[in-house]
Amino acid sequence: MVIIEFFLIYSGVGSVSPNEYYNDIGRGRRQNLQYLYFNEGFGVGKFNEYRYIGKTHTIKKSKNTVRIILLGDSYVESFQIFQRDHFSVIAKNELEDKYQNKKFEILNLGRSGFDIADMYAYQKLLAEKFNPDYIFYILSREDLKPKYSDPLRPKTVLVGDSLKIKLDTNQKKINSFNRNKLFIQHSTILNMLNLGIKKTKNTPLPSILLGKLYPLETAKNEPIMKSSKDDEKNEVTKAIIENFNSKRIVIINRDIPPLPDYFYKLLDIKGVNHYEFGTSLNKLLESGVDPNYWEITDKSGHWNQTGHEVVGRKLANIINQLINN
């Protein structure tokens, strides 16, 4: 087992837990940790000292710099690709070619599993420290209803008529995390076992073991699209939009299906700029290229390199519109 552990660690085939508990943001990515992931794609990168993927940028912004922060879920964090292929890097390079006298910094603060309430908490606790010119929420319909899926992440909640960011300080939960991390942060085998146990809580074991040979259960577990009527009942989402700074916050629908009508209406009432990636992605599909299909692994999942390229050019176009208005 020791030999296997050393092989997994030093060959990069296996990975240890990328998470740590912090007093300011709760469970977050580990500082200065290099990672290598095999999924539908192949990603190599590093979490920097500020706990996000990509080049480290100081809190203080230099002159002639346009700084943009991206908030979103796994489509933004993007473990599936090399950083040079990430849509934020593509957008940055295109903008700096266009504006020789400006510097662009696009910080990727996306986190897998985030919904709009998680993004808002990250905005208040981390993103605003960087004094960005714009904060982009890159989300889909499924991200509009707070799930509170991780008890150790900060929660955006309504207290009376006011939004509050609350971090669970339950010492038992924190102590449990700290005990477990001693093993999963240093052992790839134990980390894989831990991830496997977590997966069995949401996915039937036969489906995990048999994969495509277990289609009936897979079909049962496909996500059901929530109606806009159900989403509209969520007061936290409404309050988040009402608290947006319309001069700095930008909403982008990352998916092809549109967001609910009520959501666009709330954005328009507040005067928040909103854009779509779906138009560009749909054109790609119509040309016969699937932005979510990975030929190397024969899997569908997050955006592939072509998807990132198209989305990156669209992001550059959006930023160009914003700074010229």
Side-chain angles (χ1 to χ4, degrees):
M1 291 296 287
V2 171
I3 292 171
I4 292 171
E5 183 68 61
F6 271 98
F7 172 78
L8 291 173
I9 289 176
Y10 291 106
S11 66
V13 173
S15 59
V16 295
S17 171
N19 298 321
E20 183 59 271
Y21 183 84
Y22 301 97
N23 291 329
D24 58 340
I25 61 169
R27 194 199 308 263
R29 301 308 188 195
R30 291 167 63 187
Q31 293 174 301
N32 300 312
L33 176 72
Q34 291 186 329
Y35 66 81
L36 185 154
Y37 288 114
F38 295 94
N39 28 58
E40 65 265 39
F42 170 48
V44 178
K46 181 180 179 180
F47 301 110
N48 61 38
E49 62 185 281
Y50 293 110
R51 301 162 293 191
Y52 65 87
I53 298 175
K55 181 181 177 182
T56 299
H57 296 286
T58 59
I59 296 294
K60 187 177 180 180
K61 185 177 62 176
S62 59
K63 292 182 179 179
N64 298 320
T65 297
V66 178
R67 176 173 285 178
I68 294 151
I69 287 183
L70 307 181
L71 296 172
D73 56 16
S74 55
Y75 278 77
V76 176
E77 191 168 30
S78 292
F79 285 134
Q80 301 78 23
I81 58 169
F82 285 60
Q83 277 307 290
R84 64 173 180 261
D85 297 321
H86 192 274
F87 68 90
S88 63
V89 178
I90 292 168
K92 175 184 180 296
N93 292 339
E94 186 165 316
L95 287 164
E96 290 189 341
D97 285 342
K98 182 179 180 67
Y99 295 94
Q100 302 294 327
N101 61 336
K102 287 183 184 293
K103 182 180 178 183
F104 290 84
E105 296 175 350
I106 306 178
L107 285 61
N108 175 9
L109 266 62
R111 280 283 306 278
S112 300
F114 264 23
D115 56 45
I116 192 169
D118 297 311
M119 297 175 205
Y120 184 80
Y122 245 43
Q123 175 195 328
K124 293 298 180 181
L125 298 176
L126 186 59
E128 290 182 354
K129 292 181 180 179
F130 290 91
N131 189 31
D133 296 284
Y134 299 101
I135 298 174
F136 284 36
Y137 280 63
I138 300 178
L139 39 73
S140 68
R141 180 185 286 260
E142 288 75 27
D143 298 325
L144 300 185
K145 189 172 183 179
K147 304 177 188 68
Y148 307 116
S149 56
D150 188 339
L152 291 181
R153 285 206 300 250
K155 298 176 178 62
T156 303
V157 296
L158 269 176
V159 179
D161 294 328
S162 301
L163 274 181
K164 301 290 183 184
I165 310 297
K166 289 189 174 182
L167 188 59
D168 193 338
T169 55
N170 186 313
Q171 201 57 47
K172 286 185 178 180
K173 293 178 183 177
I174 297 171
N175 289 342
S176 176
F177 173 84
N178 287 331
R179 285 194 300 271
N180 291 335
K181 80 175 186 181
L182 295 175
F183 303 100
I184 61 178
Q185 285 186 357
H186 298 92
S187 169
T188 58
I189 295 174
L190 293 177
N191 186 48
M192 286 189 286
L193 286 172
N194 180 59
L195 293 173
I197 291 168
K198 286 182 178 179
K199 187 168 185 177
T200 59
K201 293 179 180 179
N202 300 313
T203 307
L205 185 59
S207 178
I208 297 172
L209 295 176
L210 299 177
K212 293 181 179 179
L213 298 178
Y214 200 65
L216 294 178
E217 195 62 44
T218 302
K220 290 179 184 177
N221 284 284
E222 287 179 354
I224 300 172
M225 184 72 75
K226 298 255 191 324
S227 70
S228 60
K229 185 177 180 181
D230 288 337
D231 291 334
E232 193 170 1
K233 295 176 183 177
N234 192 277
E235 296 299 320
V236 173
T237 300
K238 289 183 182 180
I240 287 172
I241 298 172
E242 290 167 0
N243 279 270
F244 278 161
N245 178 343
S246 60
K247 293 181 179 179
R248 188 161 65 165
I249 302 297
V250 178
I251 300 293
I252 300 179
N253 175 21
R254 66 161 174 78
D255 216 345
I256 292 176
L259 300 175
D261 289 340
Y262 88 90
F263 190 75
Y264 290 121
K265 289 176 182 176
L266 289 172
L267 295 176
D268 290 337
I269 290 170
K270 186 64 181 179
V272 175
N273 288 307
H274 53 87
Y275 300 88
E276 306 285 323
F277 281 163
T279 306
S280 300
L281 292 169
N282 197 46
K283 285 181 179 178
L284 199 61
L285 277 171
E286 289 174 351
S287 71
V289 179
D290 187 344
N292 298 96
Y293 176 70
W294 297 77
E295 186 175 357
I296 191 70
T297 55
D298 191 27
K299 291 181 179 179
S300 288
H302 298 80
W303 296 321
N304 54 30
Q305 284 88 348
T306 305
H308 273 266
E309 185 178 347
V310 167
V311 168
R313 290 200 299 267
K314 178 64 176 179
L315 181 64
N317 181 262
I318 292 169
I319 295 169
N320 182 53
Q321 289 181 49
L322 290 169
I323 63 178
N324 283 295
N325 284 341

